[in-house]
Amino acid sequence: MQNLLDLDADGLTAWFAAQGEKPFRARQVLRWMHRAGVADFDAMTDIAKSLRDKLKARSVVQPPAVVSDRLSDDGTRKFLIDVGNGNAVETVFIPEDDRSTLCVSTQAGCALDCAFCSTGKQGFNRNLSVAEIIGQLWQANQALGAVHGDERVISNVVLMGMGEPLANFDNAVAALKLMLDDNAYGLSRRRVTVSTSGLVPVMDRLRDECPVALAVSLHAPNDVLRDELVPINQKYPLAELMAACRRYLEKAPRDFVTFEYVMLDGINDSDAHARELLALVKKVPCKFNLIPFNPFPGSPFRRSKAERVRRFADILMQAGIVTTTRKTRGDDIDAACGQLAGEVADRTRARERLQHRRATIALHPVATHTVETRP
Ligand code: SAH
Ligand code: SF4
């Protein structure tokens, strides 16, 4: 049985062709599934009964199941999405005055093991399928009552939930293409953002195959510190990352890259770090988004004080870089950045890794700072 939610427009057309059906039929079904949110073939009223029966015999429209749906006091809503074998991932809906953003996961767990990230601490379980990625948007639209109409309840999508989107490139790109497709979700490239920890060669592929807005998780102004905080830096150091950002901008729908920077007390948040950043990003048109660290059980870091974040932002802004500080949203339901834990089965291994990481940090204090480990 083919799950039709696993196919983007080209994939669906090819699958219909293999069943002896015309491309316009694929387009009709695409619109029913994604624009109208319909999973039942019998509700696709302009499709002939014979084709509906054929589709029923050979395919399904199966989004992943929502196992919980929680609403924060600030309007943030967190969906826990079942991805089988006792695993679940999280999707977060963030309403704001001028837009509403859905933060989507791309992997169950993550292999990249950034020091401050709850998802990374769980270890990697598996890549999500296209149906599981686009299914988060499908389910959120259903829950928000956004189907059967053209109103865009979700105006922006960010691949910034659990996992590294560029480590699940093919599936992430198929899902992105559906988000952009006028017969599916019809979002503009500027309103869809991929966040990456910096997989340099794959950033080039994204630029060539499906350029959307880009956010890069920077978190440190030099290689010594970034090697510790974002281990993938050991493979793709900052000079290469900056060059990749410049190449990306040649084809990007926006003329800047957003650098995300998690503010860790005493680790990466000094005036000197801010000035070092200015030198680093000199040739990359960019904005900064400072993210106050969101603690999670067992994490050895503390959030920078508000005054420190303000001062850090001031230094960047005085140099002419637009800098915003992310408001912490949904932390009463553990939906804030980096707290997304889902329910990945691989808990034992995650605990071992966390203990190992704590020991490593205690043995090798990052740069000139001491990292406090909390038992
Ligand atoms: N893997 C991708 C996207 C998912 S993480 C990436 O790393 O960019 C989304 C953002 O949340 C990243 O910028 C990440 O560094 C940040 N983040 C991770 N853990 C965090 C935490 N505990 N507090 C605040 N932000 C965190
Ligand atoms: Fe993975 Fe991103 Fe978390 Fe790093 S910050 S471990 S890349 S999800």
Side-chain angles (χ1 to χ4, degrees), residues 275 278 310-323:
R275 286 192 289 267
L278 290 175
R310 258 195 299 281
R311 173 79 192 132
F312 197 92
D314 276 349
I315 295 175
L316 299 178
M317 285 191 293
Q318 274 160 18
I321 299 182
V322 174
T323 303

Side-chain angles (χ1 to χ4, degrees), residues 143-154:
L144 296 162
V147 287
H148 307 303
D150 260 346
E151 88 241 57
R152 294 249 170 92
V153 174
I154 295 168

Side-chain angles (χ1 to χ4, degrees), residues 89-138:
V89 297
E90 295 178 0
T91 308
V92 184
F93 174 70
I94 309 150
E96 289 172 286
D97 295 340
D98 56 342
R99 64 185 153 193
S100 288
T101 304
L102 192 72
C103 179
V104 166
S105 295
T106 52
Q107 298 183 309
C110 181
L112 298 185
D113 200 23
C114 298
F116 47 81
C117 174
S118 167
T119 306
K121 293 299 125 202
Q122 302 177 345
F124 175 66
N125 190 277
R126 70 167 170 84
N127 281 331
L128 300 191
S129 66
V130 180
E132 288 164 339
I133 300 172
I134 203 66
Q136 296 171 56
L137 185 50
W138 197 94

Side-chain angles (χ1 to χ4, degrees), residues 110 112 114 116-118 159-165 195-197 215-217 219 260-262 291-296 326 337-339:
C110 181
L112 298 185
C114 298
F116 47 81
C117 174
S118 167
L159 299 193
M160 238 179 237
M162 297 170 66
E164 166 55 49
S195 173
T196 180
S197 55
V216 172
S217 295
H219 308 318
E260 297 163 276
Y261 196 94
V262 62
I291 316 173
F293 171 65
N294 293 308
F296 54 90
R326 194 172 295 174
C337 302
Q339 289 183 325

Side-chain angles (χ1 to χ4, degrees), residues 15 36 73 86 132 138 192 204-205 217 259 270 312 360:
W15 188 83
D73 292 340
E132 288 164 339
W138 197 94
V192 176
D204 289 328
R205 282 188 70 193
S217 295
F259 286 125
S270 71
F312 197 92
T360 320

